[in-house]
Amino acid sequence: MILPSPSRPFPVPVDRYGLENGHSRLSYLVALLVFGFLYIGVNLLAGGALVALGKSASGYLFSYLLLGSTILGLPLVLLTARFVHNQPAMSLIAPGRRLDIGMIGRSALVFSLPLLATFAYGFWAGDIGPVRVDWGAFLLLTPLTILLFSFQTSTEELIFRGYLSQGLMVLCRNRLAVALLSAALFTLAHEGGINESLWSVRAEIFTTALFLSAVSFQTGRLEAAMGIHLINNVLFGLLNGSPDLPLPALAERLGTVEEFAGTGDIALFLAIQVAAFGFYWLVGLRSGFVGGKLP
């Protein structure tokens, strides 16, 4: 077993940090249960406060407050990791290494290409249409939108592909089981919105979570997954819109999100997912552009 020391960094894959450090199953089992209850409780309290405030909030204020409230999970996961396992913050992102901002940007750039192709198809199919843009509000608020999405997506990555995956790896010792369980919990965490009750949306969240786990396993760190998650949410906010999260946008979905109508819809969905994820895997990871695999 590789042991950390002050003189030697600990460059192990992020999901295996707890396993390589010899953390016990009991410590993670108790910590994950406590963290889960606290995380759910904080979100319920924040959600209730936002619902009450939403009656008086105007414009985009409610959306930004909702985005901002997701950051409350960050101190919870950092404090849990620190006080239960004595883990520094970077152990949840890239153990023994420094934060790679460039990897986040390169990852976002590569994944933006299949996403933009998907939105172009939506325009062509008539599912997405342009809106009358208040350019003043758009230019003023878009930097805030990107900033809050960066905090929101980073928090979710540290929780689900970071600490949660580390704990599940200690408990299960199998990456497929870790990916499936963390994806299921990630999907459950997104329940409650207008569209999230549709299986078509649940399937998209679940498969994206599986892909994010695969990317973090391949790179051994979270920055690439952070970039994917960030550009996905930003482009959806700016080009697709959401009834749960209205933001200054250039386009919006025309009509409601539809449920799977049959095998044809499922096949089309899978084809789009495979094309987008496959493009990223080949252009971003296999080429080495995003970042190489941890030696």
Side-chain angles (χ1 to χ4, degrees):
M1 179 181 296
I2 304 173
L3 295 176
S5 68
S7 61
R8 183 180 61 192
F10 199 87
V12 299
V14 60
D15 61 296
R16 294 182 60 86
Y17 181 87
L19 194 63
E20 296 289 350
N21 264 292
H23 294 168
S24 70
R25 284 188 170 99
L26 181 60
S27 68
Y28 270 115
L29 184 60
V30 173
L32 288 174
L33 288 173
V34 172
F35 172 77
F37 280 117
L38 290 175
Y39 184 67
I40 292 171
V42 166
N43 278 276
L44 287 175
L45 289 174
L50 286 172
V51 169
L53 182 62
K55 298 177 181 179
S56 59
S58 59
Y60 303 118
L61 176 60
F62 180 79
S63 296
Y64 287 121
L65 289 172
L66 184 61
L67 269 180
S69 70
T70 61
I71 304 170
L72 295 174
L74 185 58
L76 280 179
V77 70
L78 292 178
L79 290 172
T80 301
R82 168 59 71 179
F83 287 105
V84 177
H85 310 290
N86 195 30
Q87 291 185 226
M90 276 305 297
S91 70
L92 300 177
I93 304 173
R97 290 152 286 169
R98 295 182 179 180
L99 182 67
D100 191 340
I101 300 294
M103 181 181 283
I104 296 175
R106 293 190 300 273
S107 183
L109 175 62
V110 173
F111 198 65
S112 70
L113 299 178
L115 278 182
L116 289 172
T118 301
F119 289 122
Y121 173 79
F123 273 97
W124 176 80
D127 297 327
I128 301 173
V131 296
R132 180 175 295 177
V133 180
D134 181 346
W135 287 104
F138 180 82
L139 294 174
L140 180 66
L141 294 176
T142 293
L144 178 60
T145 300
I146 296 173
L147 178 64
L148 288 176
F149 269 130
S150 68
F151 284 121
Q152 177 242 337
T153 54
S154 296
T155 297
E156 291 184 351
E157 288 308 307
L158 262 71
I159 291 173
F160 290 95
R161 260 66 62 181
Y163 184 67
L164 180 60
S165 290
Q166 290 176 357
L168 290 173
M169 181 61 74
V170 171
L171 295 174
C172 303
R173 313 206 171 201
N174 180 279
R175 276 184 163 174
L176 178 58
V178 169
L180 290 170
L181 287 170
S182 63
L185 292 170
F186 184 74
T187 305
L188 285 173
H190 286 76
E191 288 286 319
I194 295 173
N195 292 328
E196 282 74 8
S197 61
L198 300 175
W199 285 105
S200 59
V201 176
R202 288 172 177 149
E204 185 171 4
I205 295 171
F206 184 80
T207 54
T208 300
L210 284 178
F211 180 65
L212 291 172
S213 287
V215 170
S216 68
F217 294 158
Q218 175 70 14
T219 60
R221 54 199 302 159
L222 291 190
E223 291 96 333
M226 287 177 175
I228 294 171
H229 200 161
L230 173 61
I231 197 64
N232 180 81
N233 286 21
V234 167
L235 288 182
F236 265 93
L238 297 180
L239 297 177
N240 190 76
S242 167
D244 299 313
L245 197 69
L247 294 167
L250 299 175
E252 66 180 359
R253 173 166 289 277
L254 304 176
T256 59
V257 178
E258 296 182 358
E259 184 62 282
F260 289 134
T263 56
D265 284 349
I266 296 175
L268 178 60
F269 164 79
L270 291 175
I272 291 173
Q273 298 295 91
V274 168
F277 299 156
F279 177 88
Y280 178 89
W281 198 267
L282 291 173
V283 176
L285 296 184
R286 290 294 297 273
S287 69
F289 176 73
V290 169
K293 184 177 181 180
L294 180 71

